[in-house]
mmCIF file of all heavy atoms in Angstrom:
data_model
loop_
_atom_site.group_PDB
_atom_site.id
_atom_site.type_symbol
_atom_site.label_atom_id
_atom_site.label_comp_id
_atom_site.label_asym_id
_atom_site.label_seq_id
_atom_site.Cartn_x
_atom_site.Cartn_y
_atom_site.Cartn_z
ATOM 1 N N PRO A 271 -73.474 7.413 200.623
ATOM 2 C CA PRO A 271 -73.760 6.520 199.496
ATOM 3 C C PRO A 271 -74.653 7.211 198.471
ATOM 4 O O PRO A 271 -75.482 8.055 198.816
ATOM 5 C CB PRO A 271 -74.458 5.324 200.145
ATOM 6 C CG PRO A 271 -74.984 5.836 201.443
ATOM 7 C CD PRO A 271 -74.043 6.894 201.897
ATOM 8 N N VAL A 272 -74.471 6.844 197.199
ATOM 9 C CA VAL A 272 -75.238 7.426 196.101
ATOM 10 C C VAL A 272 -75.720 6.299 195.203
ATOM 11 O O VAL A 272 -74.994 5.328 194.962
ATOM 12 C CB VAL A 272 -74.379 8.397 195.263
ATOM 13 C CG1 VAL A 272 -75.203 9.018 194.137
ATOM 14 C CG2 VAL A 272 -73.772 9.478 196.145
ATOM 15 N N SER A 273 -76.955 6.400 194.723
ATOM 16 C CA SER A 273 -77.466 5.430 193.756
ATOM 17 C C SER A 273 -78.407 6.138 192.794
ATOM 18 O O SER A 273 -78.920 7.222 193.090
ATOM 19 C CB SER A 273 -78.183 4.277 194.461
ATOM 20 O OG SER A 273 -79.316 4.757 195.152
ATOM 21 N N TYR A 274 -78.623 5.523 191.637
ATOM 22 C CA TYR A 274 -79.485 6.112 190.619
ATOM 23 C C TYR A 274 -80.401 5.062 190.005
ATOM 24 O O TYR A 274 -79.946 3.942 189.700
ATOM 25 C CB TYR A 274 -78.652 6.724 189.488
ATOM 26 C CG TYR A 274 -77.893 7.967 189.879
ATOM 27 C CD1 TYR A 274 -76.521 7.916 190.111
ATOM 28 C CD2 TYR A 274 -78.541 9.190 190.013
ATOM 29 C CE1 TYR A 274 -75.812 9.053 190.467
ATOM 30 C CE2 TYR A 274 -77.843 10.334 190.372
ATOM 31 C CZ TYR A 274 -76.485 10.257 190.600
ATOM 32 O OH TYR A 274 -75.778 11.381 190.961
ATOM 33 N N ASP A 275 -81.678 5.432 189.807
ATOM 34 C CA ASP A 275 -82.524 4.683 188.900
ATOM 35 C C ASP A 275 -82.405 5.369 187.541
ATOM 36 O O ASP A 275 -81.657 6.338 187.380
ATOM 37 C CB ASP A 275 -83.978 4.621 189.389
ATOM 38 C CG ASP A 275 -84.595 6.003 189.574
ATOM 39 O OD1 ASP A 275 -83.994 7.018 189.141
ATOM 40 O OD2 ASP A 275 -85.700 6.071 190.153
ATOM 41 N N GLU A 276 -83.140 4.886 186.538
ATOM 42 C CA GLU A 276 -82.976 5.439 185.201
ATOM 43 C C GLU A 276 -83.303 6.934 185.153
ATOM 44 O O GLU A 276 -82.546 7.732 184.579
ATOM 45 C CB GLU A 276 -83.847 4.691 184.200
ATOM 46 C CG GLU A 276 -83.686 5.227 182.786
ATOM 47 C CD GLU A 276 -84.508 4.463 181.753
ATOM 48 O OE1 GLU A 276 -85.129 3.437 182.111
ATOM 49 O OE2 GLU A 276 -84.529 4.905 180.581
ATOM 50 N N ALA A 277 -84.412 7.326 185.750
ATOM 51 C CA ALA A 277 -84.809 8.735 185.716
ATOM 52 C C ALA A 277 -83.778 9.615 186.415
ATOM 53 O O ALA A 277 -83.409 10.685 185.911
ATOM 54 C CB ALA A 277 -86.184 8.911 186.358
ATOM 55 N N GLY A 278 -83.288 9.158 187.562
ATOM 56 C CA GLY A 278 -82.294 9.926 188.297
ATOM 57 C C GLY A 278 -80.986 10.040 187.536
ATOM 58 O O GLY A 278 -80.339 11.092 187.537
ATOM 59 N N PHE A 279 -80.610 8.949 186.876
ATOM 60 C CA PHE A 279 -79.388 8.958 186.072
ATOM 61 C C PHE A 279 -79.498 9.957 184.932
ATOM 62 O O PHE A 279 -78.596 10.777 184.715
ATOM 63 C CB PHE A 279 -79.127 7.559 185.509
ATOM 64 C CG PHE A 279 -78.010 7.497 184.496
ATOM 65 C CD1 PHE A 279 -76.697 7.327 184.902
ATOM 66 C CD2 PHE A 279 -78.280 7.607 183.133
ATOM 67 C CE1 PHE A 279 -75.671 7.269 183.969
ATOM 68 C CE2 PHE A 279 -77.250 7.554 182.196
ATOM 69 C CZ PHE A 279 -75.951 7.384 182.618
ATOM 70 N N ARG A 280 -80.603 9.880 184.217
ATOM 71 C CA ARG A 280 -80.765 10.764 183.059
ATOM 72 C C ARG A 280 -80.777 12.229 183.494
ATOM 73 O O ARG A 280 -80.196 13.088 182.823
ATOM 74 C CB ARG A 280 -82.026 10.402 182.285
ATOM 75 C CG ARG A 280 -81.950 9.029 181.614
ATOM 76 C CD ARG A 280 -83.088 8.820 180.632
ATOM 77 N NE ARG A 280 -83.094 7.472 180.081
ATOM 78 C CZ ARG A 280 -82.311 7.055 179.089
ATOM 79 N NH1 ARG A 280 -81.433 7.886 178.541
ATOM 80 N NH2 ARG A 280 -82.391 5.815 178.641
ATOM 81 N N TYR A 281 -81.417 12.529 184.606
ATOM 82 C CA TYR A 281 -81.449 13.907 185.091
ATOM 83 C C TYR A 281 -80.054 14.368 185.498
ATOM 84 O O TYR A 281 -79.623 15.473 185.151
ATOM 85 C CB TYR A 281 -82.420 14.056 186.263
ATOM 86 C CG TYR A 281 -82.533 15.492 186.725
ATOM 87 C CD1 TYR A 281 -83.389 16.386 186.088
ATOM 88 C CD2 TYR A 281 -81.743 15.962 187.774
ATOM 89 C CE1 TYR A 281 -83.466 17.707 186.483
ATOM 90 C CE2 TYR A 281 -81.811 17.289 188.183
ATOM 91 C CZ TYR A 281 -82.677 18.152 187.532
ATOM 92 O OH TYR A 281 -82.737 19.463 187.923
ATOM 93 N N ALA A 282 -79.332 13.522 186.252
ATOM 94 C CA ALA A 282 -77.991 13.887 186.711
ATOM 95 C C ALA A 282 -77.049 14.118 185.532
ATOM 96 O O ALA A 282 -76.228 15.050 185.543
ATOM 97 C CB ALA A 282 -77.432 12.806 187.636
ATOM 98 N N LEU A 283 -77.170 13.283 184.501
ATOM 99 C CA LEU A 283 -76.305 13.432 183.332
ATOM 100 C C LEU A 283 -76.639 14.721 182.574
ATOM 101 O O LEU A 283 -75.743 15.485 182.185
ATOM 102 C CB LEU A 283 -76.455 12.220 182.414
ATOM 103 C CG LEU A 283 -75.520 12.158 181.199
ATOM 104 C CD1 LEU A 283 -74.047 12.177 181.629
ATOM 105 C CD2 LEU A 283 -75.804 10.907 180.368
ATOM 106 N N LYS A 284 -77.927 14.985 182.389
ATOM 107 C CA LYS A 284 -78.330 16.203 181.680
ATOM 108 C C LYS A 284 -77.986 17.464 182.467
ATOM 109 O O LYS A 284 -77.758 18.530 181.898
ATOM 110 C CB LYS A 284 -79.838 16.174 181.402
ATOM 111 C CG LYS A 284 -80.269 15.135 180.385
ATOM 112 C CD LYS A 284 -79.671 15.405 179.016
ATOM 113 C CE LYS A 284 -80.183 14.414 177.987
ATOM 114 N NZ LYS A 284 -79.517 14.594 176.670
ATOM 115 N N ALA A 285 -77.950 17.347 183.783
ATOM 116 C CA ALA A 285 -77.603 18.498 184.621
ATOM 117 C C ALA A 285 -76.115 18.838 184.549
ATOM 118 O O ALA A 285 -75.703 19.919 184.969
ATOM 119 C CB ALA A 285 -78.005 18.234 186.070
ATOM 120 N N ASP A 286 -75.320 17.926 184.023
ATOM 121 C CA ASP A 286 -73.883 18.108 183.893
ATOM 122 C C ASP A 286 -73.580 18.449 182.435
ATOM 123 O O ASP A 286 -73.488 17.567 181.574
ATOM 124 C CB ASP A 286 -73.164 16.829 184.318
ATOM 125 C CG ASP A 286 -71.650 16.971 184.362
ATOM 126 O OD1 ASP A 286 -71.101 17.811 183.620
ATOM 127 O OD2 ASP A 286 -71.011 16.219 185.124
ATOM 128 N N ALA A 287 -73.431 19.738 182.147
ATOM 129 C CA ALA A 287 -73.246 20.173 180.757
ATOM 130 C C ALA A 287 -71.997 19.549 180.132
ATOM 131 O O ALA A 287 -72.012 19.125 178.965
ATOM 132 C CB ALA A 287 -73.163 21.694 180.696
ATOM 133 N N MET A 288 -70.907 19.501 180.899
ATOM 134 C CA MET A 288 -69.675 18.932 180.371
ATOM 135 C C MET A 288 -69.875 17.491 179.953
ATOM 136 O O MET A 288 -69.537 17.091 178.828
ATOM 137 C CB MET A 288 -68.563 19.046 181.421
ATOM 138 C CG MET A 288 -67.233 18.419 181.026
ATOM 139 S SD MET A 288 -67.144 16.638 181.361
ATOM 140 C CE MET A 288 -67.269 16.620 183.140
ATOM 141 N N ALA A 289 -70.437 16.672 180.855
ATOM 142 C CA ALA A 289 -70.600 15.252 180.572
ATOM 143 C C ALA A 289 -71.560 15.026 179.409
ATOM 144 O O ALA A 289 -71.320 14.159 178.550
ATOM 145 C CB ALA A 289 -71.096 14.525 181.817
ATOM 146 N N THR A 290 -72.643 15.792 179.368
ATOM 147 C CA THR A 290 -73.616 15.654 178.277
ATOM 148 C C THR A 290 -72.957 15.954 176.932
ATOM 149 O O THR A 290 -73.107 15.197 175.965
ATOM 150 C CB THR A 290 -74.803 16.605 178.503
ATOM 151 O OG1 THR A 290 -75.468 16.232 179.711
ATOM 152 C CG2 THR A 290 -75.789 16.537 177.357
ATOM 153 N N GLU A 291 -72.222 17.049 176.874
ATOM 154 C CA GLU A 291 -71.598 17.449 175.615
ATOM 155 C C GLU A 291 -70.491 16.477 175.188
ATOM 156 O O GLU A 291 -70.401 16.088 174.022
ATOM 157 C CB GLU A 291 -71.033 18.859 175.744
ATOM 158 C CG GLU A 291 -72.103 19.933 175.877
ATOM 159 C CD GLU A 291 -71.521 21.317 176.115
ATOM 160 O OE1 GLU A 291 -70.342 21.543 175.736
ATOM 161 O OE2 GLU A 291 -72.234 22.165 176.678
ATOM 162 N N LYS A 292 -69.658 16.080 176.137
ATOM 163 C CA LYS A 292 -68.529 15.223 175.782
ATOM 164 C C LYS A 292 -68.974 13.803 175.438
ATOM 165 O O LYS A 292 -68.378 13.161 174.562
ATOM 166 C CB LYS A 292 -67.497 15.195 176.906
ATOM 167 C CG LYS A 292 -66.858 16.545 177.238
ATOM 168 C CD LYS A 292 -66.281 17.253 176.037
ATOM 169 C CE LYS A 292 -64.988 16.676 175.558
ATOM 170 N NZ LYS A 292 -64.356 17.492 174.481
ATOM 171 N N LEU A 293 -70.016 13.305 176.094
ATOM 172 C CA LEU A 293 -70.541 11.980 175.751
ATOM 173 C C LEU A 293 -71.069 11.983 174.323
ATOM 174 O O LEU A 293 -70.747 11.092 173.517
ATOM 175 C CB LEU A 293 -71.642 11.571 176.734
ATOM 176 C CG LEU A 293 -72.388 10.260 176.422
ATOM 177 C CD1 LEU A 293 -71.429 9.077 176.373
ATOM 178 C CD2 LEU A 293 -73.483 10.013 177.464
ATOM 179 N N ALA A 294 -71.884 12.981 173.985
ATOM 180 C CA ALA A 294 -72.438 13.065 172.630
ATOM 181 C C ALA A 294 -71.324 13.231 171.597
ATOM 182 O O ALA A 294 -71.330 12.584 170.539
ATOM 183 C CB ALA A 294 -73.428 14.226 172.549
ATOM 184 N N GLU A 295 -70.364 14.089 171.910
ATOM 185 C CA GLU A 295 -69.244 14.330 171.008
ATOM 186 C C GLU A 295 -68.433 13.052 170.787
ATOM 187 O O GLU A 295 -68.044 12.731 169.652
ATOM 188 C CB GLU A 295 -68.358 15.414 171.597
ATOM 189 C CG GLU A 295 -67.111 15.741 170.797
ATOM 190 C CD GLU A 295 -66.250 16.747 171.546
ATOM 191 O OE1 GLU A 295 -65.387 16.323 172.362
ATOM 192 O OE2 GLU A 295 -66.446 17.953 171.327
ATOM 193 N N GLY A 296 -68.186 12.313 171.861
ATOM 194 C CA GLY A 296 -67.408 11.086 171.759
ATOM 195 C C GLY A 296 -68.100 10.024 170.933
ATOM 196 O O GLY A 296 -67.466 9.336 170.113
ATOM 197 N N ILE A 297 -69.403 9.875 171.128
ATOM 198 C CA ILE A 297 -70.157 8.904 170.333
ATOM 199 C C ILE A 297 -70.122 9.285 168.861
ATOM 200 O O ILE A 297 -69.902 8.438 167.986
ATOM 201 C CB ILE A 297 -71.614 8.793 170.849
ATOM 202 C CG1 ILE A 297 -71.632 8.118 172.225
ATOM 203 C CG2 ILE A 297 -72.485 8.016 169.861
ATOM 204 C CD1 ILE A 297 -72.985 8.145 172.903
ATOM 205 N N ARG A 298 -70.316 10.571 168.567
ATOM 206 C CA ARG A 298 -70.272 11.022 167.169
ATOM 207 C C ARG A 298 -68.914 10.727 166.540
ATOM 208 O O ARG A 298 -68.832 10.260 165.399
ATOM 209 C CB ARG A 298 -70.563 12.522 167.076
ATOM 210 C CG ARG A 298 -72.000 12.918 167.313
ATOM 211 C CD ARG A 298 -72.278 14.339 166.834
ATOM 212 N NE ARG A 298 -71.426 15.334 167.463
ATOM 213 C CZ ARG A 298 -71.734 15.977 168.595
ATOM 214 N NH1 ARG A 298 -72.879 15.708 169.216
ATOM 215 N NH2 ARG A 298 -70.911 16.881 169.097
ATOM 216 N N ALA A 299 -67.849 11.007 167.285
ATOM 217 C CA ALA A 299 -66.504 10.818 166.735
ATOM 218 C C ALA A 299 -66.205 9.344 166.489
ATOM 219 O O ALA A 299 -65.677 8.975 165.425
ATOM 220 C CB ALA A 299 -65.465 11.413 167.680
ATOM 221 N N PHE A 300 -66.525 8.482 167.449
ATOM 222 C CA PHE A 300 -66.280 7.051 167.262
ATOM 223 C C PHE A 300 -67.146 6.486 166.141
ATOM 224 O O PHE A 300 -66.700 5.636 165.362
ATOM 225 C CB PHE A 300 -66.539 6.288 168.565
ATOM 226 C CG PHE A 300 -65.443 6.424 169.592
ATOM 227 C CD1 PHE A 300 -65.671 6.075 170.914
ATOM 228 C CD2 PHE A 300 -64.182 6.859 169.249
ATOM 229 C CE1 PHE A 300 -64.666 6.179 171.870
ATOM 230 C CE2 PHE A 300 -63.163 6.968 170.194
ATOM 231 C CZ PHE A 300 -63.413 6.625 171.505
ATOM 232 N N ALA A 301 -68.397 6.950 166.046
ATOM 233 C CA ALA A 301 -69.289 6.487 164.980
ATOM 234 C C ALA A 301 -68.754 6.909 163.618
ATOM 235 O O ALA A 301 -68.780 6.132 162.645
ATOM 236 C CB ALA A 301 -70.695 7.032 165.200
#
């Protein structure tokens, strides 16, 4: 089992270069 609080989530997301880049890119494009 895996769970995240806010700090753990933010760290896990930042540790994933692909997800960090694509999330930011997607928000920019939709905006």
